[in-house]
Amino acid sequence: MSSSLSLHVRDLAFSYRDKVVFDGIDLTLSAGRRVGLVGENGAGKSTLLRLLARVEDPSGGHVSGGGDLGYLRQELPFPGTATLSDVLDDALAETRRAAVRLDELGALLADRPDDAALLAEYGHLLEWAQAHDLWDADRRASIVCAGLGLAGIAPGRALDTLSGGQRCRLALAALLIRAPETLLLDEPTNHLDDPALDFVQERLARHPGIVVLSSHDREFLDAVCTDIVDLDPALGGPTRYGGAYTEYRAAKHAERARWEQRWSEEQQELRELRHSVTVTARQVAHGRPPRDGAKLNYDFSGARVERQVSRRVRAARQRLSELESAQVRKPPEPLRFAATLTAAADAQRRTALSARDLAVAGRLEPVSELDVHIGGTGPTRLLVSGGNGTGKSTLLGLLAGHLEPTHGTLRRAPEVRVGLLEQDVRFAEPKRTPRQLYDAATAGRAVPSLHTLGLVAPGDEHRPVAALSVGQRRRLALALLVADPPEVLLLDEPTNHLSPALADELSEALDSAPGAVVLASHDRWLRRRWGHAELRLSSV
């Protein structure tokens, strides 16, 4: 891949009718740079990736360069009847066409070795073939499918028979097989188990071109990225930091402290200047005549004092005007998760859910024994782990009552409420706003107001749900769930699509929840800090 490869972003801006997403982004990336995009949900990570991929037009500025672009879409652009083989063939199609054309050009040049046009085309195509590792493409396809856990899927299997996780991994596989010069990846770690994560990390770390990605996986950002671009509000707008995620966090913390200190110092100076201008000016008492017998003294000293005070007042007014026009804006308060995840149960410990030999044919191997307890001092905290396809989501769906088992039994204690946060959040009325949905769902009940939960920003409460990012919609779904919290909370990949900051706060809230929590997660950051029980599922 050419070392001259570069991607340029100049004064890039994007806004919806009701919201400015970002304004004035400047960025230059060269071959070998791997950039992680971070920021709160709704900060514009997915939007920026779409603009870089040229699948959406900016409100201002422009993007250029990047060579051959590859953009990871969240949904495969194929009908449900297409097969896995169709997707892989499409990923290899350009490479195979190039191989055929190289052979054709080689044969033509054997007869016309001095043909300048043929030589130029052959040279250009040969350079492309080398950059895309053309002669290793079929072997690369096999390696990628195996690395992403797709090798066991029959080539003729239709896409609509695959799980959502399998389709996402197939989309990522197709992109890695195609091997474009610039990879643009929106949450590539979703639905990846540990072996697949290790495989993708290794592939991206040695990608010779440009990588721009967004991810909630902090360990992934540490392992892959050479730079971090933070889209959250900052003094100078979106900011680029050298180094991986750990270095970024330290620098971000120091920068936020400096911003808060500067704002505080300026506010103090503004207060002092306003006092000086109003109070001192009032004390000068312009136009008051001197008392009898004091005229001579006034002429020589009073007038001089008044002139000095007037100069100070004018200087204070000038400084006040300058500072008011150029003052640092107040650092915005970040969203702070303030919801109680579960309801408190009785003081007496009891069994809320009890499963024996629970299974779903083809999706979940029998779980011999599982009890979920509430009440007392030890409500259940359970992490469900296992590789892709082991049935983690299926087990949560069974516990929530959304699925029926094909084997075994599940008993639920009477009047116990169970809530499930699913991976894929969809709303039946996407034109309604978060506030409307929340008010309708909680009507007639004494519940916290939406903004106090720390999940939906005030500026997003009145925007249509369809205009929200995936992460913002997951926040809203969690808000609807915990507005009147259940005794048993089931969380399916709760940190997917959430900002690292909220993921940290959610992880902390799990420990203090008074009810039972059962979660399934691939998040290595969360799992390695998990201090409670774990149920590991085996492959079907």
Side-chain angles (χ1 to χ4, degrees):
M1 211 161 281
S2 173
S3 60
S4 63
L5 175 70
S6 59
L7 177 65
H8 303 280
V9 177
R10 292 289 176 268
D11 201 24
L12 198 65
F14 187 85
S15 60
Y16 297 104
R17 284 186 305 172
D18 59 340
K19 181 182 180 181
V20 175
V21 180
F22 47 70
D23 189 14
I25 294 181
D26 290 298
L27 192 62
T28 297
L29 303 177
S30 56
R33 308 313 295 179
R34 300 181 298 277
V35 177
L37 305 178
V38 300
E40 270 296 348
N41 299 121
K45 301 182 293 294
S46 296
T47 299
L48 180 55
L49 286 168
R50 291 195 300 271
L51 296 176
L52 296 181
R54 280 66 143 190
V55 300
E56 195 155 0
D57 295 324
S59 305
H62 65 276
V63 178
S64 62
D68 180 16
L69 302 170
Y71 172 53
L72 179 63
R73 300 174 182 270
Q74 294 303 307
E75 287 294 331
L76 282 164
F78 292 89
T81 54
T83 65
L84 182 141
S85 181
D86 292 333
V87 176
L88 299 183
D89 285 342
D90 181 76
L92 290 166
E94 191 174 13
T95 302
R96 289 171 175 164
R97 286 195 298 269
V100 170
R101 183 56 179 164
L102 277 174
D103 289 341
E104 292 173 351
L105 290 170
L108 291 171
L109 284 169
D111 295 330
R112 293 144 50 193
D114 297 326
D115 190 317
L118 286 178
L119 283 168
E121 183 183 355
Y122 185 83
H124 176 75
L125 191 55
L126 185 61
E127 182 180 347
W128 185 94
Q130 290 169 337
H132 291 78
D133 205 6
L134 179 148
W135 295 276
D136 199 38
D138 288 310
R139 189 176 75 90
R140 180 170 67 245
S142 298
I143 291 172
V144 168
C145 286
L148 291 175
L150 300 170
I153 301 176
R157 187 168 167 183
L159 298 185
D160 58 10
T161 67
L162 301 180
S163 69
Q166 287 172 323
R167 290 195 299 272
C168 286
R169 283 182 280 128
L170 180 56
L172 179 56
L175 195 58
L176 294 178
I177 290 167
R178 189 164 74 78
E181 293 172 298
T182 294
L183 291 168
L184 305 169
L185 311 173
D186 196 356
E187 293 286 356
T189 59
N190 286 352
H191 308 290
L192 300 185
D193 56 18
D194 285 354
L197 276 167
D198 291 339
F199 173 79
V200 173
Q201 282 178 187
E202 187 271 334
R203 299 291 292 196
L204 295 183
R206 60 186 180 89
H207 181 67
I210 297 169
V211 179
V212 185
L213 63 91
S214 69
S215 177
H216 67 276
D217 189 325
R218 292 143 288 187
E219 294 201 14
F220 185 81
L221 293 170
D222 259 342
V224 171
C225 294
T226 61
D227 304 80
I228 299 291
V229 171
D230 185 356
L231 297 178
D232 278 338
L235 268 178
T239 307
R240 179 175 178 172
Y241 297 83
Y245 184 74
T246 298
E247 291 82 7
Y248 150 74
R249 284 189 72 187
K252 175 73 170 179
H253 180 76
E255 181 186 80
R256 173 78 185 197
R258 289 192 298 271
W259 186 1
E260 291 175 348
Q261 181 179 359
R262 181 177 169 185
W263 181 81
S264 178
E265 290 173 349
E266 284 192 356
Q267 293 305 302
Q268 178 62 30
E269 186 179 358
L270 283 167
R271 285 191 293 271
E272 292 172 355
L273 287 169
R274 287 167 184 148
H275 180 271
S276 176
V277 167
T278 57
V279 175
T280 306
R282 199 164 48 241
Q283 291 174 344
V284 171
H286 294 286
R288 186 185 67 190
R291 294 189 299 272
D292 292 343
K295 186 175 187 306
L296 183 63
N297 183 59
Y298 176 82
D299 286 342
F300 285 99
S301 62
R304 184 173 65 251
V305 169
E306 184 167 288
R307 285 196 299 272
Q308 290 172 349
V309 171
S310 295
R311 283 197 297 270
R312 288 199 298 272
V313 170
R314 285 196 300 273
R317 283 175 176 157
Q318 182 176 351
R319 172 60 181 155
L320 178 61
S321 176
E322 292 171 352
L323 193 54
E324 284 179 334
S325 63
Q327 65 180 300
V328 171
R329 65 190 177 99
K330 184 178 181 179
E333 285 295 326
L335 280 178
R336 298 294 186 196
F337 182 66
T340 300
L341 287 174
T342 66
D346 301 332
Q348 184 69 33
R349 192 170 191 258
R350 60 192 176 108
T351 302
L353 300 172
S354 181
R356 296 293 182 270
D357 298 320
L358 201 63
V360 174
R363 294 175 62 178
L364 175 68
E365 287 291 289
V367 177
S368 58
E369 183 176 342
L370 172 59
D371 293 314
V372 177
H373 301 287
I374 58 175
T377 58
T380 294
R381 296 283 186 276
L382 179 65
L383 170 65
V384 181
S385 62
N388 290 317
T390 55
K392 299 184 295 298
S393 296
T394 299
L395 176 59
L396 294 186
L398 289 168
L399 297 178
H402 295 181
L403 297 173
E404 292 295 327
T406 57
H407 185 269
T409 60
L410 173 65
R411 293 186 175 87
R412 179 180 288 107
E415 299 182 0
V416 169
R417 290 177 300 128
V418 179
L420 170 63
L421 178 67
E422 298 179 282
Q423 282 194 53
D424 299 318
V425 175
R426 289 183 172 82
F427 293 93
E429 300 175 280
K431 292 183 178 179
R432 303 190 77 186
T433 68
R435 171 66 68 81
Q436 290 171 333
L437 292 174
Y438 188 83
D439 289 347
T442 60
R445 288 185 281 148
V447 299
S449 58
L450 179 57
H451 75 273
T452 62
L453 298 177
L455 288 166
V456 179
D460 295 322
E461 287 190 24
H462 302 286
R463 301 178 64 216
V465 169
L468 302 181
S469 71
V470 176
Q472 289 171 314
R473 292 197 294 271
R474 281 210 104 195
R475 281 177 178 264
L476 175 58
L478 184 57
L480 293 170
L481 194 58
V482 302
D484 186 17
E487 287 85 10
V488 178
L489 180 62
L490 311 173
L491 301 170
D492 195 357
E493 298 290 353
T495 58
N496 277 8
H497 299 292
L498 297 185
S499 68
L502 178 59
D504 283 341
E505 292 171 3
L506 184 60
S507 299
E508 292 172 5
L510 294 175
D511 288 329
S512 60
V517 176
V518 181
L519 66 94
S521 180
H522 282 129
D523 188 332
R524 292 171 294 179
W525 191 282
L526 183 153
R527 285 163 40 219
R528 289 174 186 173
R529 290 157 179 77
W530 184 255
H532 309 287
E534 181 175 354
L535 171 64
R536 185 162 186 84
L537 302 181
S538 56
S539 299
V540 177

